[in-house]
Amino acid sequence: MINRITAYWNDRSASWRKERDEAWSRPETEHWLDFFKSVRSQVGGNKVLEVGTATGYFANIMTLAGFEVTAVDLSPQMIDYANLVSQELELNVAYQVMDAQALQFEANTFDLVFTRLMTWTIPDLEKCYREMERVLKRGGRLINLDADFGKTVFSTERHDECPSGAIDQINDIKSALEISAHQRPAKDVELLEAVGFGSIEIDMDAQNRILKLPLETEGLFMLEAVKK
């Protein structure tokens, strides 16, 4: 399954970079920068790990917000593009190819772990959350923005840059993932508690609030949790 997921995101890397490059000229980038500046003011340290960085859009914004950013992704081609983007922006981000279920960092390394639209793609989400908890310092925070895609059937309507056949592939992959059988974020809370996180908070309208969009429009939930 990991090989299938890696191959899929490798194939998506070029179109993903195009979409993210276009985002830099839109207001959403300033909104995200304001959000991460607020997070930076609330976090004790500045070492952040982004898990599932894709082409580095959020890694670069967090760098601009004052974080020292390490960013990982399962896809080598995504990481190649991410390095190019950061070089063009003249920003320093430490990128590595890595499986979120086996983070290659020492325990108690980061003040913040951030991830967006990544955990729905994970074969073993409990293992992933356990790894995130392990690499956080005591009192460190996890921020996860995602959605309950289990019953969603993706289409080309909102993904017109996808390579041929990509939508069918990701629908097949998603249907095979265990997390797709559960209601989210309720299952996430259960898993976060099981691996030792505390102070778990859910904001079902987080992304719309950050981007100043109407709360009734479709958006992402945000999970925040603290390492005990």
Side-chain angles (χ1 to χ4, degrees), residues 16-38 55-66 85 89 91 114 116 207 209-213:
W16 198 268
R17 179 183 175 176
K18 181 180 178 181
E19 291 176 11
R20 293 296 86 190
D21 283 354
E22 292 170 353
W24 282 99
S25 63
R26 296 197 293 262
E28 65 186 81
T29 296
E30 285 299 320
H31 295 325
W32 283 117
L33 181 57
D34 289 342
F35 168 72
F36 285 115
K37 285 180 177 178
S38 175
T55 56
Y57 176 71
F58 289 102
N60 288 305
I61 294 175
M62 286 189 284
T63 301
L64 291 170
V85 172
L89 294 170
L91 295 174
F114 173 78
R116 179 182 175 274
Q207 177 158 290
R209 189 174 292 109
I210 292 166
L211 299 182
K212 304 186 186 306
L213 298 173

Side-chain angles (χ1 to χ4, degrees), residues 2-161:
I2 284 292
N3 290 338
R4 286 185 68 192
I5 294 170
T6 303
Y8 172 79
W9 290 115
N10 278 336
D11 288 344
R12 285 294 314 277
S13 58
S15 61
W16 198 268
R17 179 183 175 176
K18 181 180 178 181
E19 291 176 11
R20 293 296 86 190
D21 283 354
E22 292 170 353
W24 282 99
S25 63
R26 296 197 293 262
E28 65 186 81
T29 296
E30 285 299 320
H31 295 325
W32 283 117
L33 181 57
D34 289 342
F35 168 72
F36 285 115
K37 285 180 177 178
S38 175
V39 172
R40 177 67 189 91
S41 70
Q42 300 168 31
V43 175
N46 76 329
K47 294 191 68 174
V48 58
L49 171 66
E50 185 190 9
V51 183
T53 190
T55 56
Y57 176 71
F58 289 102
N60 288 305
I61 294 175
M62 286 189 284
T63 301
L64 291 170
F67 284 104
E68 177 187 332
V69 182
T70 300
V72 302
D73 199 277
L74 187 63
S75 162
Q77 290 189 26
M78 287 286 196
I79 291 296
D80 286 345
Y81 278 124
N83 273 304
L84 289 172
V85 172
S86 292
Q87 289 170 17
E88 291 169 2
L89 294 170
E90 298 183 345
L91 295 174
N92 184 25
V93 179
Y95 292 108
Q96 295 187 52
V97 177
M98 200 173 296
D99 183 351
Q101 300 167 123
L103 297 174
Q104 297 165 33
F105 302 106
E106 293 184 3
N108 309 307
T109 297
F110 298 99
D111 303 291
L112 171 70
V113 170
F114 173 78
T115 187
R116 179 182 175 274
L117 286 176
M118 190 280 298
T119 49
W120 70 273
T121 70
I122 294 294
D124 189 334
L125 189 52
E126 181 174 352
K127 184 182 290 186
C128 176
Y129 280 144
R130 193 175 299 279
E131 282 291 273
M132 291 176 173
E133 193 273 345
R134 182 184 64 80
V135 301
L136 276 169
K137 297 175 184 177
R138 188 171 185 178
R141 291 172 61 186
L142 165 67
I143 296 178
N144 176 17
L145 286 123
D146 211 342
D148 188 355
F149 289 128
K151 296 180 181 178
T152 299
V153 178
F154 297 126
S155 71
T156 56
E157 184 177 324
R158 293 175 59 185
H159 301 274
D160 55 358
E161 295 290 340

